[in-house]
Amino acid sequence: MMKPEIAVLDIQGQYRIHTEFYRSDTAQNTIILVNGSMSTTASFAQTVKNLHPHLNVVLYDQPYAGHSKPHNRHQTPLTKELEADVLLELIEHFDAQYVLSFSWGGTAALTALASSPRRIEKAVISSFSPLINIPMRNYLERGRRCLADCNRTQVGNLVNDTLGKHLPSLFKRFNYRHVSTLAEHEYAQMHFHINQVLSGDPQCYLKATQRIEIPVLFINGEWDEYTAANDARQFAHAIRDSQFVSVENTGHFLDMEHKQASHISKIALLDFLKPPAPVITRPAQRLSVAL
């Protein structure tokens, strides 16, 4: 796969955002991918392989994370509204037609989509649910405690034992190493986000999405008890043009868990996103009839 074009962009004079642009000479459209919490552009390695070169692909790190981290001061946590503002600026900059979010990146993506960005034609929301069910609430409560204590071992084990329980062992090791070595301000950001979720209106995502008029595809893993496929179908009541895919034998991390899940995810994404091939019509032929 080709190397991306790297740029650090100034967003409203407030944030500096590391971006990676995978350009395709054959693609007509551009998609921007939105990370989950505590994730970076590296988390989308398999997704990029599935989408490129069919689409131009944009990755970015939130101001507090990954390669954006050295370029920003980390004085106050970002709200989902501010993360949505960053996404909207990037949509304009890269002239993106599509958005794809993973896990808690769905909060920023749906908040941005509710403002009806003029360029966006379709969106994919993966591993996200509007409901805080019992397994997710337990995960968030445990996460809030170990994040507040900055207990790195507990944070790393918690993610692998819950959301990441179906990941291959190699990915679990990478995941643990990443999550357990984050900066304190990243733990503070996640703690802030969890507090927002647990104290907020449980119907807030459904209410916000009622303003979304573009087609939206929701993808969830069949084995994902935290952002369950049945819970995601609640969006059908709020978004008129919504579609749903449940990936069999797969948990929260979808295309990272095994090859079959990656293949199914790729087909679902491209079937939804790629414009249909133009129908070539031939001019009617005149038949001469001998009399």
Side-chain angles (χ1 to χ4, degrees), residues 219-236:
I219 302 181
N220 298 79
E222 180 188 45
W223 291 345
D224 184 0
E225 62 196 281
Y226 301 93
T227 56
N230 284 340
D231 291 345
R233 290 185 179 275
Q234 294 290 319
F235 281 117

Side-chain angles (χ1 to χ4, degrees), residues 99 101 106-107 109-116 120-126 128-130 203-220 231-244 272:
V99 169
S101 68
T107 61
L110 290 170
T111 303
L113 293 173
S115 67
S116 302
I120 296 299
E121 300 169 7
K122 294 181 180 179
V124 180
I125 308 295
S126 65
F128 187 78
S129 161
Q203 295 293 310
C204 67
Y205 299 119
L206 290 175
K207 291 176 181 175
T209 54
Q210 290 174 353
R211 298 193 295 273
I212 296 175
E213 297 182 351
I214 61 167
V216 182
L217 172 66
F218 294 91
I219 302 181
N220 298 79
D231 291 345
R233 290 185 179 275
Q234 294 290 319
F235 281 117
H237 304 298
I239 300 176
R240 177 177 52 83
D241 196 347
S242 52
Q243 301 176 34
F244 300 86
F272 177 71

Side-chain angles (χ1 to χ4, degrees), residues 30-32 90-92 94-98 119-121:
T30 298
I31 188 168
I32 186 164
L90 294 174
I91 288 169
E92 285 292 317
F94 287 101
D95 189 18
Q97 289 77 39
Y98 307 142
R119 297 184 187 278
I120 296 299
E121 300 169 7

Side-chain angles (χ1 to χ4, degrees), residues 26 58 148 290:
T26 58
V58 178

Side-chain angles (χ1 to χ4, degrees), residues 138-149:
N138 290 340
Y139 164 73
L140 293 174
E141 293 284 5
R142 291 171 61 191
R144 178 157 63 174
R145 289 194 294 271
C146 53
L147 287 165
D149 295 339

Side-chain angles (χ1 to χ4, degrees), residues 254-288:
L254 296 175
D255 60 18
M256 296 172 66
E257 295 188 357
H258 53 82
K259 287 184 179 179
Q260 184 67 11
S262 177
H263 178 68
I264 294 171
S265 298
K266 176 179 180 177
I267 291 172
L269 288 174
L270 294 180
D271 281 353
F272 177 71
L273 292 172
K274 284 201 74 181
V279 177
I280 300 174
T281 57
R282 300 180 183 277
Q285 293 183 335
R286 286 188 176 181
L287 299 178
S288 57

